[in-house]
Each structure stands twice: as structure tokens, then as C-alpha cells.
């Protein structure tokens, strides 16, 4: 994710550029009008920005989900740079964050992320999108099935559908509950960035669900909690060492 190696594939055509701005506008309206957020001296005085930066740093250094994803991105030729590829900004509505494919940047909504656990989930979720962007030619803006697949993977692998989170949402006790949660969260994520009906979003999720739900890369398993994520990170490191010695 450092510079050119991260920004794979051809540049957007004129029509795609317009559609990219339309999509970004739904989630990050200030990005289109103002460009990159101010990074000057006075930005350090804003408490929400300071908190966002500190939480991000702690997530990058300590969270096992994120540490695995960072290693996987680097292994795939898309090394992540904190200052280049993350941006703490104010966002409209209740959006927590997003992956801006046009700039290869993860946006963290500093006005909507209020604790460390939330930051951990958002960074993990968006890094899964970044990983998909790195390893595959994802057509984020015109192919809703591609978007649906990445949203299914992000909901499945980020811990967003953990038992603790679902109990907090008062959602529990259903048969195949994890799968139901993944479908619901993926559908909601699509609706946040596409001006389509819920039926169309659900149809896209249903069409890709089986293959994308069973795609566990780079974890190799569904990391239901931090312990699972630590095991997955250890296995990834061992696998990487094995192949480097062949």
C-alpha cells in the first residue's frame, strides 16, 4: 500500500471518476469538496483528531486482527504506511469509516468512533477491503457483486459479528446466527454507499454469499475473537517462513 505498488490496475475512466465521486460523496461529502483533510499545526488542537490518532496507533501496534492484515498486505506487495493510508476526518451521518479506493486510503470518522474497541473493528473491517483491493481487481464502483463479496468477507472476518457484539445489539439465539449477522451487516454496508433498494442489496449478497463467506484469507479461518486471531497470525507467519525457505 506504499505508493504505486498499492494502486494497482488502470486509472479510472471519466465515467468511473464521476461515479467514484458520487459514491464517496454519499459517505464522505467533505472529501470531494475539500480534498485531503488539513494536516497542519492547528489540527493537533482538535481533541477528536488527537484521540483518533492515538487510538489508531494503539490498534496498529496491538490488535491481532490488524497485525495479521498488515503482514498480509506487506507480503502481497502492498505495505501500509500509517500517515499515507489512514486519515482521521469528520464524517456526515453515522458512518464510522470507509475505504476510499480512488486514493487507496482508509478514512476513520473521528466524530463517530468513541472508544478503542470500535476503532479496532473499523480498522480491521476497512483493512479487509484494502487487502481485497490489493490482491484482486475489484470493481468497487460498477460491479455490486464485487462490493458485496468484500462486505461479506469484512463482516465475517473483522469480529463485527462476534457473540459479544451481537448480544450488545440484542441479537442472539438464532440458528446459524453468525451467517445471518454477516448477511445483515454486509447488506447494511452496501446500503451505506449505494443508492439502491434493500432488496437489490440483499440479492447481491445472496448471489456471492457462499463463495465469499468461505474465503477466509488471509486468516485461514474465521477469527471469532482475539485468541483465534492470534493463532491465525502465528500460522500466517509460520506459513510465510515455510514458503520463503522453499
Amino acid at each position: 500500500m506504499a505508493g504505486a505498488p498499492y494502486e494497482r490496475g488502470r486509472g479510472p475512466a471519466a465515467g468511473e471518476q464521476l461515479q467514484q465521486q458520487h459514491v464517496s460523496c454519499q459517505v464522505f461529502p467533505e472529501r470531494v469538496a475539500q480534498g485531503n483533510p488539513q494536516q497542519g499545526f492547528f489540527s493537533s488542537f482538535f481533541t477528536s483528531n488527537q484521540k483518533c490518532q492515538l487510538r489508531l496507533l494503539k490498534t496498529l501496534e496491538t490488535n491481532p486482527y490488524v497485525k495479521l492484515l498488515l503482514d498480509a498486505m506487506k507480503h502481497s506487495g502492498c505495505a501500509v504506511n500509517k500517515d499515507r493510508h489512514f486519515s482521521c476526518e469528520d464524517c456526515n451521518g453515522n458512518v464510522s469509516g470507509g475505504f476510499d479506493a480512488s486514493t487507496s486510503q482508509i478514512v476513520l470518522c473521528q466524530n463517530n468512533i468513541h472508544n478503542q474497541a470500535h476503532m479496532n473493528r473499523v480498522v480491521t473491517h476497512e483493512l479487509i477491503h484494502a487487502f481485497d483491493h490489493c490482491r484482486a481487481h475489484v470493481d468497487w464502483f460498477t460491479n455490486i457483486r464485487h462490493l458485496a463479496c468484500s462486505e461479506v468477507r469484512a463482516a465475517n472476518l473483522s469480529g463485527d459479528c462476534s457473540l459479544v457484539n451481537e448480544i450488545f445489539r440484542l441479537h442472539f439465539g438464532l440458528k446459524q446466527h453468525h451467517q445471518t449477522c454477516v448477511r445483515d451487516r454486509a447488506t447494511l454496508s452496501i446500503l451505506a454507499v449505494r443508492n439502491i433498494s434493500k432488496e437489490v442489496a440483499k440479492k447481491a449478497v445472496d448471489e456471492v454469499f457462499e463463495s465469499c463467506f468461505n474465503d477466509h484469507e488471509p486468516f485461514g479461518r474465521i477469527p471469532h475473537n482475539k485468541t483465534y486471531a492470534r493463532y491465525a497470525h502465528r500460522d500466517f507467519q509460520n506459513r510465510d517462513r515455510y514458503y520463503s525457505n522453499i
Side-chain angles (χ1 to χ4, degrees), residues 8 12 32 45 74 101 120 123 135 137 143 146 154 156 170-171 174 183 188 195 213 218 222 227-228 245:
R8 294 180 172 178
V32 176
F45 288 99
K74 184 177 181 180
N120 292 343
V123 173
R135 69 168 182 161
H137 297 287
N143 191 326
H146 286 192
N156 188 29
L170 302 180
H171 297 163
L174 300 176
R183 288 179 187 272
L188 289 173
N195 185 23
F213 181 82
I222 299 176
T227 299
Y228 281 93
N245 290 327

Side-chain angles (χ1 to χ4, degrees), residues 42-191:
F42 290 103
S43 64
S44 63
F45 288 99
F46 292 97
T47 304
S48 60
N49 186 269
Q50 257 185 336
K51 287 182 178 179
C52 180
Q53 296 289 350
L54 290 171
R55 287 170 179 151
L56 171 61
L57 182 62
K58 184 174 181 180
T59 294
L60 296 177
E61 291 181 345
T62 65
N63 186 267
Y65 292 86
V66 169
K67 290 171 72 174
L68 189 157
L69 285 161
L70 293 176
D71 279 356
M73 294 283 287
K74 184 177 181 180
H75 180 78
S76 299
C78 302
V80 178
N81 179 282
K82 173 182 174 290
D83 295 327
R84 161 65 180 86
H85 295 112
F86 292 92
S87 179
C88 289
E89 304 177 15
D90 285 337
C91 305
N92 287 348
N94 296 319
V95 178
S96 298
F99 175 64
D100 187 343
S102 65
T103 60
S104 301
Q105 195 169 49
I106 290 173
V107 178
L108 301 170
C109 297
Q110 60 195 20
N111 55 320
N112 292 329
I113 299 175
H114 301 298
N115 57 63
Q116 188 65 48
H118 192 187
M119 175 66 79
N120 292 343
R121 291 197 304 275
V122 173
V123 173
T124 302
H125 183 109
E126 302 308 334
L127 275 176
I128 291 170
H129 291 323
F131 177 75
D132 288 347
H133 188 70
C134 171
R135 69 168 182 161
H137 297 287
V138 182
D139 183 355
W140 299 100
F141 305 108
T142 61
N143 191 326
I144 193 171
R145 288 165 60 92
H146 286 192
L147 174 62
C149 184
S150 193
E151 292 296 356
V152 166
R153 282 176 31 77
N156 188 29
L157 302 174
S158 66
D160 193 38
C161 285
S162 69
L163 181 61
V164 171
N165 287 332
E166 282 297 88
I167 290 175
F168 181 77
R169 298 177 188 126
L170 302 180
H171 297 163
F172 49 88
L174 300 176
K175 185 178 181 181
Q176 291 190 315
H177 182 72
H178 182 75
Q179 289 91 327
T180 301
C181 172
V182 169
R183 288 179 187 272
D184 291 345
R185 303 300 294 179
T187 300
L188 289 173
S189 292
I190 293 171
L191 291 173

